[in-house]
Amino acid sequence: MKNGFSNKLTSLFILFFAIVNTLFSQEGNISKLQIKDIMKGDDFVGHLPNTLSWSQNSTSIYFYWGPSNYEEDSLYCYDLESKRINKVKTDTLNDVSTSAWVFSKDKSRATFEKNGDIFLLELERSKLYQITKTNSRETNPYFTYDESKIAFNDGDNIFCWEISTGEIEQMTDFYEGTPITRKEDFLVDKEKWLQDDQLKIFSVLNKREEKRKRNSENRFDEKTDKPLPIPLNGMEMLKSQISPDGKYVSYVLYKNQSSKKTMVPDYVTKSGYTEMINARSKVGEKPEEYKMYIYNIARKKTYETDFSKLDGINDLPAYLNDYPNNNYENLNRIGSIDGPFWNNEGEHAFIEIRANDNKDRWIALLNFENGEVEMLERQHDDAWIEGPGIGYYSDYNVSRGWMPDDKGIWFQSEETGYSHLYVLDIKSKKKKALTSGKFEVYNPFMSRDQQFWYFSSNENHPGVVQFYRMPIEGGKAQQLTSLLGNNEVYLSPDESKLAIRYSFSNKPWEIYVMDNPAVTGKEEKSIQITHSTTTQFNAYPWRVPEIVTFKAEDGKNVYARLYKPAENVKNKAAVLFVHGAGYLQNAHQWWSSYFREYMFHNFLVDNGFTVLDIDYRGSAGYGRDWRTGIYRHMGGKDLSDEVYGAKYLVKNLGIDKDRIGIYGGSYGGFITLMAMFKAPDTFKAGAAIRSVTDWAHYNNGYTSNILNTPINDSIAYRQSSPIYYAEGLKGHLLMLHGVIDDNVHFQDVVRLSQRLIELGKENWDLAIYPLEQHAFVEPSSWTDEYTRIFKFFKNNLTEK
């Protein structure tokens, strides 16, 4: 079916109106923008709707919103019939998102947790039952025992509630500590030999020992009603789950290895004394230990899951080839265990295992009778496993599950270089790609009748996200949305409606509603139901940045947002903005998470600057090779992309090569430092905000994925850390940092400052913010920061 003509008209109108506004705003620098206003954030733009969910009867949409700007975001409800929005009292069950409900197979009942208690809802009768009402916190409810019971967790243990009788039974008895030891456990070799010899000689002693062992093993035999006490053996409970038939409990234990934690000094405190903030450890910490066990409820037996036969479980990482005399040791590569995920009939279950170096992901069937695993899929990356639907550090959930026939599983993989949807038969092990192409698939899920897939994708353009439906066996996908930008779709439970959280480059997020074209079989129009932006925000004609591409050093196309001033105010100076977070996308056509920077870029353009915002190597949205382009060398290809962006401006937009600056925060601050130190002839001024100056001092989870660990891959850290290149500074450098930043510590910029002092560098300055963490909160801090940055660029790029 073709996209709706009315929605195309709406998209064209939005684009046309935005371009006209942009052209108008460039006539003679008429901007009335003030930095102190735009740095108010949501109070200036408007408090935008978020966290959408549907009522189960598909008649209402719930979301959080702050339309008055005088209160924290509150829960609101849009009624489709009356077309009215009303504030919801949060003491009702309406503030429980249906996305957190667990449904029975026939969808007639749902169970969920609210405020630490468990509830059962009969949907057809709208009958609600409160299962628990205690001072402790019960969590994670789900149906089990062929849906005759609801299981839930209370602390480390599992309890079951019998639906027909209301009786609650404790199913597990986990306790801290270790099993009781006997003196025989501590016998030395000589004593052990003598004991064994005695048992061989004297039959009476041998019979008594066998009887003692039987009694010990059968202390909690099959006849007792109480669960077997199970020691945690010095580990902690991560998760536990009872099987659908109630015969087994799977549980995962983990142990944090001791690592020295950092301390962040807080100087401006209520007490008047300097106080210390406990913070994270640094990269290179010993990996956590994970183990999975099966508890056979009837036999009162436990056994550990064996992962030793997984393909590649003992493989050494490829980067060690650079260290022929390495002493690398990783005795237990298991880094996480997810699942089990049961099929519809409760006959089979698979689990997902990750290596602690994040270079392998395994999906395997789990045999509950003996704890063995049968590998179905291995995903390996010499860099690191990540991508939409795959990785834990991306903005999208990990996607996996069972096919409707229970004969296969589905998951996402970057096997072709982009994250796509796959199915795999559990018997034949044959795998089939359901989607393919140079685009990413986001958040796939099945329709209620399990005949179709729904998912989002950037198939049309890396910076545009639309919503699709596709037959369950694959094939041509039907595009259901058409507004240009990002369409975050929330499908109603009956699949008749789409609630869309939509935004465009210069239009903040709002909620739209439309009938599902896949159901109606005709073109549909989306209707906007929220209007969140303030009068002050609406008074300014915000620009639509042009999406451009330029060639990188290696010939690859680099996407970027380009902001151009009017010719009559153009000063031939340019500023490159570097987004943060590493794996994040910003050269797209929707409302940016860097909305303050977007507004600041409009302010810069009003004052004659050209601005280029690049999705450098390592950014999201462009596939695996782009994502891993920074592996073992941050400040390599990503910095080169910025340098070639500057060359693009000089060649194509008449920018003076001696008037180019660069700025960014966090990873963007890091790139700014590398640019000032390693490409000083390209960038004359740089403003580095909350910057990583030495990756050996950052956290383990993010850094070890990209650079491995300092002790094992010193080459990667040496070539990726700005502090080693500080002698290259020629231009003007401004550093800005929050003193109580517990993410990128203030220590980073202090260490670099000392390095610059020792090098005798004078053309740098440091602004500190004593009450700010990594993400600034106070408008006064934002205002001071960006006022300094504007003056810095004006003084160093426009005045000669």
Side-chain angles (χ1 to χ4, degrees):
M1 185 184 75
K2 296 182 178 179
N3 300 330
F5 179 69
S6 58
N7 277 351
K8 282 187 176 180
L9 278 180
T10 304
S11 291
L12 290 173
F13 175 76
I14 291 171
L15 182 60
F16 174 75
F17 179 74
I19 292 173
V20 170
N21 278 355
T22 299
L23 293 174
F24 176 73
S25 72
Q26 295 174 347
E27 292 295 326
N29 190 19
I30 63 171
S31 173
K32 301 296 183 182
L33 281 182
Q34 299 291 324
I35 292 179
K36 66 180 179 65
D37 291 328
I38 61 180
M39 292 303 152
K40 293 176 182 176
D42 290 339
D43 288 340
F44 175 77
V45 176
H47 290 256
L48 310 179
N50 60 87
T51 319
L52 280 64
S53 63
W54 281 90
S55 63
Q56 186 54 33
N57 60 10
S58 301
T59 62
S60 302
I61 302 169
Y62 294 96
F63 54 94
Y64 283 85
W65 197 28
S68 69
N69 276 7
Y70 297 113
E71 60 182 350
E72 296 293 328
D73 286 1
S74 301
L75 185 67
Y76 284 80
C77 176
Y78 173 77
D79 182 77
L80 270 67
E81 184 176 355
S82 67
K83 296 181 172 54
R84 291 183 178 179
I85 297 176
N86 294 302
K87 190 173 180 179
V88 176
K89 293 181 180 180
T90 56
D91 59 353
T92 70
L93 284 173
N94 291 323
D95 61 339
V96 179
S97 170
T98 55
S99 63
W101 292 8
V102 178
F103 294 94
S104 59
K105 291 179 182 179
D106 61 4
K107 307 292 183 181
S108 66
R109 297 177 295 181
T111 182
F112 55 87
E113 175 257 329
K114 173 180 166 60
N115 296 331
D117 289 315
I118 308 299
F119 294 82
L120 171 66
L121 179 63
E122 292 186 0
L123 297 170
E124 293 181 0
R125 298 195 302 155
S126 297
K127 180 70 173 178
L128 183 69
Y129 301 90
Q130 184 164 356
I131 298 173
T132 66
K133 190 176 183 180
T134 69
N135 290 330
S136 61
R137 185 174 184 83
E138 292 88 29
T139 60
N140 189 35
Y142 52 95
F143 292 93
T144 187
Y145 282 92
D146 298 322
E147 301 198 333
S148 65
K149 298 181 181 181
I150 292 176
F152 59 88
N153 289 89
D154 185 344
D156 289 339
N157 286 303
I158 299 176
F159 292 78
C160 279
W161 181 71
E162 180 80 47
I163 296 176
S164 61
T165 65
E167 293 182 355
I168 292 181
E169 179 183 4
Q170 182 174 344
M171 306 306 299
T172 62
D173 183 14
F174 296 107
Y175 67 93
E176 295 183 2
T178 58
I180 299 173
T181 55
R182 299 172 295 109
K183 63 179 182 180
E184 287 87 347
D185 297 326
F186 301 99
L187 296 178
V188 297
D189 290 344
K190 175 184 176 181
E191 294 168 336
K192 183 71 167 59
W193 184 91
L194 288 173
Q195 176 178 279
D196 291 342
D197 193 53
Q198 288 289 92
L199 295 177
K200 291 177 182 177
I201 295 173
F202 302 107
S203 60
V204 173
L205 288 178
N206 187 55
K207 290 179 181 179
R208 289 178 179 177
E209 175 64 12
E210 289 179 354
K211 182 178 180 181
R212 185 198 65 76
K213 288 182 178 180
R214 286 197 301 271
N215 290 339
S216 176
E217 293 174 353
N218 296 328
R219 281 188 307 137
F220 299 92
D221 60 22
E222 299 178 12
K223 297 180 181 179
T224 182
D225 292 333
K226 294 183 178 180
L228 173 72
I230 303 173
L232 298 181
N233 293 322
M235 304 184 76
E236 295 182 58
M237 177 66 68
L238 181 64
K239 66 185 77 172
S240 59
Q241 179 182 336
I242 195 166
S243 61
D245 59 10
K247 294 181 179 180
Y248 303 96
V249 170
S250 60
Y251 58 100
V252 177
L253 304 181
Y254 77 101
K255 183 177 182 179
N256 275 319
Q257 305 297 333
S258 58
S259 297
K260 185 176 181 179
K261 302 297 182 182
T262 54
M263 305 289 286
V264 175
D266 185 0
Y267 297 101
V268 183
T269 64
K270 183 173 66 174
S271 69
Y273 290 89
T274 299
E275 299 174 1
M276 304 304 291
I277 301 171
N278 292 320
R280 55 167 174 79
S281 58
K282 297 188 179 186
V283 63
E285 64 186 23
K286 191 174 180 181
E288 294 177 337
E289 180 183 359
Y290 289 86
K291 292 185 177 182
M292 186 176 198
Y293 295 86
I294 306 298
Y295 167 41
N296 186 312
I297 296 175
R299 295 177 56 202
K300 300 291 190 296
K301 301 287 185 181
T302 64
Y303 30 93
E304 185 177 349
T305 303
D306 181 12
F307 298 117
S308 62
K309 296 180 182 178
L310 291 174
D311 287 355
I313 187 65
N314 295 316
D315 286 0
L316 296 177
Y319 73 84
L320 291 178
N321 292 329
D322 289 345
Y323 305 93
N325 298 318
N326 71 83
N327 294 314
Y328 181 85
E329 185 178 78
N330 192 357
L331 300 179
N332 182 4
R333 287 187 68 216
I334 303 301
S336 68
I337 306 167
D338 280 350
F341 305 98
W342 289 90
N343 65 359
N344 297 315
E345 296 302 320
E347 298 173 336
H348 301 287
F350 71 85
I351 56 176
E352 178 178 331
I353 310 104
R354 301 285 181 118
N356 56 26
D357 57 16
N358 209 13
K359 299 183 189 304
D360 280 290
R361 175 195 188 198
W362 297 273
I363 300 175
L365 290 176
L366 176 59
N367 186 325
F368 279 74
E369 293 183 358
N370 56 24
E372 294 182 355
V373 296
E374 179 185 353
M375 197 185 77
L376 298 175
E377 163 81 356
R378 179 194 179 191
Q379 296 175 13
H380 174 80
D381 198 313
D382 282 346
W384 74 97
I385 295 288
E386 185 64 88
I390 302 168
Y392 296 119
Y393 282 90
S394 61
D395 290 336
Y396 301 92
N397 296 324
V398 178
S399 301
R400 66 243 158 153
W402 284 91
M403 294 299 289
D405 61 5
D406 278 356
K407 296 179 180 179
I409 62 171
W410 63 271
F411 52 86
Q412 286 185 251
S413 169
E414 285 186 319
E415 183 173 320
T416 62
Y418 291 82
S419 183
H420 282 291
L421 184 60
Y422 291 80
V423 295
L424 183 148
D425 187 281
I426 63 172
K427 289 187 177 180
S428 68
K429 308 297 190 298
K430 291 183 178 179
K431 183 169 60 176
K432 174 186 176 183
L434 299 184
T435 61
S436 62
K438 294 183 177 182
F439 60 89
E440 308 271 48
V441 170
Y442 309 113
N443 297 327
F445 64 93
M446 293 183 193
S447 60
R448 287 190 61 164
D449 62 8
Q450 299 186 317
Q451 297 301 305
F452 296 93
W453 293 102
Y454 286 100
F455 59 85
S456 298
S457 171
N458 64 351
E459 179 176 359
N460 296 337
H461 186 280
V464 175
V465 176
Q466 302 289 359
F467 190 62
Y468 297 81
R469 190 180 80 157
M470 180 181 71
I472 198 70
E473 68 275 7
K476 184 174 177 54
Q478 176 188 2
Q479 183 178 322
L480 303 179
T481 56
S482 58
L483 292 176
L484 186 64
N486 191 339
N487 297 265
E488 290 185 2
V489 174
Y490 300 80
L491 189 64
S492 64
D494 65 4
E495 300 182 10
S496 67
K497 304 281 185 181
L498 309 182
I500 308 170
R501 187 172 177 261
Y502 165 78
S503 73
F504 184 58
S505 302
N506 67 343
K507 289 177 64 66
W509 296 99
E510 300 286 5
I511 299 177
Y512 293 69
V513 177
M514 67 180 287
D515 291 333
N516 187 353
V519 175
T520 64
K522 63 179 182 179
E523 300 169 353
E524 299 294 347
K525 180 181 179 180
S526 58
I527 307 298
Q528 183 175 346
I529 66 171
T530 60
H531 300 271
S532 309
T533 51
T534 66
T535 301
Q536 191 177 12
F537 176 85
N538 294 335
Y540 180 83
W542 300 100
R543 290 170 174 82
V544 177
E546 181 183 354
I547 303 298
V548 299
T549 60
F550 61 87
K551 293 295 182 182
E553 183 177 15
D554 58 3
K556 303 292 185 181
N557 283 325
V558 182
Y559 283 81
R561 280 183 165 192
L562 175 64
Y563 302 75
K564 296 187 295 185
E567 286 298 323
N568 63 323
V569 298
K570 184 176 180 180
N571 59 20
K572 293 190 176 181
V575 173
L576 276 67
F577 171 66
V578 190
H579 69 70
Y583 191 56
L584 181 146
Q585 185 178 13
N586 207 48
H588 50 60
Q589 298 184 57
W590 62 84
W591 188 246
S592 175
S593 58
Y594 287 94
F595 64 94
R596 286 184 180 87
E597 288 77 2
Y598 163 78
M599 294 187 289
F600 181 61
H601 297 161
N602 277 264
F603 177 83
L604 287 176
V605 171
D606 285 346
N607 286 275
F609 290 88
T610 299
V611 179
L612 191 66
D613 175 358
I614 297 172
D615 271 346
Y616 52 84
R617 223 67 61 100
S619 298
Y622 306 94
R624 181 265 172 197
D625 291 346
W626 202 261
R627 171 179 69 78
T628 61
I630 58 174
Y631 179 58
R632 298 189 69 206
H633 194 182
M634 297 177 179
K637 291 181 180 179
D638 45 2
L639 174 58
S640 175
D641 292 342
E642 300 291 337
V643 171
Y644 273 72
K647 291 181 178 181
Y648 165 83
L649 294 176
V650 172
K651 180 179 179 180
N652 296 281
L653 282 96
I655 297 301
D656 185 338
K657 68 179 182 62
D658 295 321
R659 294 187 175 188
I660 300 177
I662 186 170
Y663 90 102
S666 195
Y667 197 96
F670 151 73
I671 287 292
T672 297
L673 293 176
M674 292 295 262
M676 297 305 296
F677 298 162
K678 295 185 67 178
D681 295 329
T682 299
F683 301 102
K684 306 306 177 183
I689 308 167
R690 51 189 180 274
S691 315
V692 176
T693 67
D694 186 343
W695 287 106
H697 291 260
Y698 195 49
N699 70 28
N700 189 76
Y702 175 84
T703 317
S704 62
N705 277 347
I706 305 172
L707 300 180
N708 304 306
T709 61
I711 194 170
N712 292 317
D713 197 358
S714 58
I715 294 173
Y717 283 81
R718 178 63 175 78
Q719 66 187 3
S720 300
S721 296
I723 200 167
Y724 294 109
Y725 300 96
E727 69 275 7
L729 178 64
K730 292 181 181 179
H732 299 275
L733 173 63
L734 172 63
M735 298 183 291
L736 311 100
H737 214 113
V739 174
I740 55 173
D741 189 334
D742 56 0
N743 181 11
V744 179
H745 295 167
F746 185 59
Q747 181 193 29
D748 266 66
V749 74
V750 172
R751 293 179 70 247
L752 180 58
S753 296
Q754 179 60 29
R755 179 70 176 142
L756 293 171
I757 291 169
E758 293 179 3
L759 290 168
K761 301 294 183 179
E762 298 179 355
N763 49 338
W764 63 278
D765 202 357
L766 172 63
I768 68 172
Y769 299 87
L771 288 176
E772 295 294 356
Q773 295 182 315
H774 195 64
F776 280 21
V777 175
E778 299 299 329
S780 58
S781 300
W782 280 104
T783 299
D784 182 272
E785 184 177 49
Y786 277 82
T787 299
R788 290 177 186 272
I789 293 172
F790 172 65
K791 291 180 178 179
F792 174 74
F793 285 139
K794 185 177 180 181
N795 293 338
N796 291 293
L797 299 180
T798 66
E799 298 177 4
K800 287 191 175 180

